[in-house]
Amino acid sequence: MSAPAPLPLSGVRVIDLTRILSGPFCSMILGDLGAEVVKVETPGGDPVRKQGHRVEGLSWYFAGFNRNKTSVELDLRNPEGVAVLERLLAGADILTENFRPGILDRMGLTEERLRQINPDLIVVSVNGYGSDGPYADRPAFDFIAQAMSGYMATNGTPDTGPLRTAPPITDVVAGLYAALGAVAALRGRENGGPAQRVEASMMMSMMSMLAYLTSNALATGRDPVPTGNDHPIASPYGLFRASDGDIAVAPSTDRIVEKFLGELGLGHLLTDPRFASNEVRLRHRAELNALINEALAHDTQEGWITRLNAAGVPSGRVQSVTEALADPQVAAQDMVLRVPHEKRGEVGMIGFPVKFSKTPLQVRHPTPELGAGGRDALRTAGFDEAEIDALVAAGVLGAGTT
């Protein structure tokens, strides 16, 4: 039987200086794709190790974003620690970091110094606002990036005012872009291009996700009106009320609107001047929604969802997080993993949203204990056992280095 094909990023070595969420999400993606990721943590480890709900002493929040990595606990405030990091970087393909702009320079790892250490090194930076511009030095957080990107202003309704999205969406979007940039930079280097710096910021990444909202604002000079669960540019579209609860319905074209209203016995409304086109339906949305809710009240969520989907009208129930995790479609897609951990029992985490037909992704390494795998990472960088022991004894490397 032939050996399994290597994963897409097998053989790629990543030195990961990131912490909290945006950067670790980027490096996790690279690790999931097959890269060897060495997570360099300052004394005490990534702060997320102590956040979120812990099971058997392990934060599942941390576990969910730091699989497929090894850990080195390294004191980067000590010049010896920076020297160790430089030796790790000498054999790496990618450095990931999410410090505020200028922190690497203050550590002595300027662009020039990094090129001296490893001219082929790709540097991937995730930050709040970008490395130049008037906000470059500001501290950043998901909540602030949601606010400043325009994203928060589009959520909610005129009555509620701006609303944040519960998940830290700017962190994960910036992490996704950073991972995409890293892969593209690797491909460019393979094609004979230069090793270069890749940057993704939370605010700019989020702005790119506003889609037609920014397009319309650029075209008209006007801000979109927040519409809550209704669609900003389509009607009918949103949450409607069946006899036993809400259902989400998304008729995105005139043809699907026709099918939707036809299934409800409301097809005649399309000859009504108030509802004859999307443009006029937007102006009379409240009246149309009331008629739809009146019709939907004659059957249950499940009845309507089955019937509407069979007719080609996208619809579904609003599920809680635990309901979504238990959904049979989620199970069929292997999107909830139960990963054995040597010291922490079985750890639950989200699976791989990207599927590969020939090289399926897997959790090759469970979430590392602080310092776990550090000796192997240092051996690969050329350290011998005596050097490693001396660095541990001096406090440059964490006492838990294994």
Side-chain angles (χ1 to χ4, degrees):
M1 186 173 180
S2 61
L7 292 170
L9 294 186
S10 292
V12 173
R13 187 170 173 81
V14 178
I15 303 301
D16 178 25
L17 299 183
T18 68
R19 68 267 185 254
I20 312 295
L21 182 52
S22 59
F25 189 54
C26 166
S27 56
M28 183 198 76
I29 293 169
L30 300 177
D32 288 350
L33 292 172
E36 177 191 354
V37 179
V38 179
K39 183 178 177 71
V40 177
E41 303 184 66
T42 53
D46 188 323
V48 173
R49 285 186 179 273
K50 300 178 178 66
Q51 295 179 6
H53 189 78
R54 284 183 271 184
V55 179
E56 298 292 331
L58 175 68
S59 162
W60 282 22
Y61 170 18
F62 179 82
F65 293 96
N66 289 281
R67 65 193 181 203
N68 288 329
K69 303 176 186 180
T70 57
S71 171
V72 173
E73 185 182 9
L74 184 62
D75 184 0
L76 294 177
R77 295 183 182 275
N78 185 320
E80 285 188 77
V82 175
V84 171
L85 175 60
E86 290 187 351
R87 287 178 66 177
L88 290 170
L89 291 173
D93 296 287
I94 297 172
L95 165 64
T96 54
E97 61 92 11
N98 63 343
F99 297 119
R100 284 164 64 180
I103 297 296
L104 277 183
D105 287 357
R106 291 201 284 275
M107 291 169 58
L109 297 174
T110 62
E111 291 278 342
E112 181 180 2
R113 178 57 184 151
L114 289 172
R115 292 289 157 252
Q116 291 172 349
I117 295 167
N118 183 348
D120 294 325
L121 185 68
I122 293 165
V123 180
V124 179
S125 299
V126 188
N127 52 44
Y129 306 101
S131 59
D132 49 32
Y135 304 154
D137 292 332
R138 288 187 181 183
F141 198 72
D142 169 69
F143 184 59
I144 310 305
Q146 285 197 35
M148 294 191 64
S149 64
Y151 178 78
M152 194 182 296
T154 68
N155 288 335
T157 68
D159 290 333
T160 66
L163 292 175
R164 70 181 287 270
T165 293
I169 190 166
T170 67
D171 284 299
V172 295
V173 170
L176 277 170
Y177 274 131
L180 175 62
V183 171
L186 277 172
R187 179 61 174 157
R189 194 186 70 179
E190 289 173 357
N191 284 340
Q196 58 185 305
R197 185 169 180 268
V198 176
E199 179 178 281
S201 75
M202 294 158 65
M203 180 180 175
M204 307 312 150
S205 295
M206 201 63 241
M207 288 188 72
S208 78
M209 301 296 284
L210 294 181
Y212 48 78
L213 297 172
T214 44
S215 299
N216 288 354
L218 288 167
T220 66
R222 297 191 300 270
D223 286 318
V225 176
T227 54
N229 288 320
D230 290 321
H231 198 289
I233 61 173
S235 175
Y237 192 119
L239 277 188
F240 300 96
R241 189 78 176 171
S243 64
D244 59 347
D246 290 337
I247 60 172
V249 188
S252 58
T253 67
D254 286 341
R255 176 63 182 140
I256 301 177
V257 169
E258 183 180 334
K259 291 180 179 181
F260 177 41
L261 296 180
E263 287 296 319
L264 270 58
L266 299 177
H268 61 280
L269 293 180
L270 293 174
T271 61
D272 187 315
R274 297 172 298 169
F275 311 126
S277 70
N278 185 66
E279 183 179 0
V280 296
R281 288 195 296 269
L282 285 170
R283 295 201 296 268
H284 297 279
R285 192 199 311 262
E287 299 163 75
L288 180 56
N289 287 358
L291 292 169
I292 290 170
N293 284 328
E294 183 180 342
L296 288 172
H298 297 293
D299 201 353
T300 62
Q301 291 174 309
E302 191 57 38
W304 282 118
I305 289 168
T306 300
R307 182 172 166 181
L308 291 174
N309 279 301
V313 180
S315 61
R317 190 168 62 86
V318 178
Q319 300 191 125
S320 70
V321 174
T322 54
E323 287 173 331
L325 290 170
D327 190 287
Q329 184 64 28
V330 173
Q333 289 288 303
D334 296 319
M335 279 303 291
V336 176
L337 304 180
R338 299 288 176 178
V339 180
H341 193 288
E342 182 181 358
K343 296 183 178 180
R344 310 290 186 161
E346 196 175 64
V347 181
M349 61 184 66
I350 290 296
F352 307 101
V354 178
K355 312 296 185 186
F356 288 78
S357 63
K358 302 298 184 183
T359 56
L361 306 185
Q362 57 187 298
V363 179
R364 307 182 313 285
H365 310 295
T367 304
E369 300 290 337
L370 183 58
R375 284 184 177 269
D376 282 344
L378 291 166
R379 289 187 198 107
T380 300
F383 289 82
D384 61 34
E385 293 300 323
E387 287 180 290
I388 296 171
D389 289 340
L391 289 166
V392 173
V396 177
L397 287 171
T401 300
T402 58

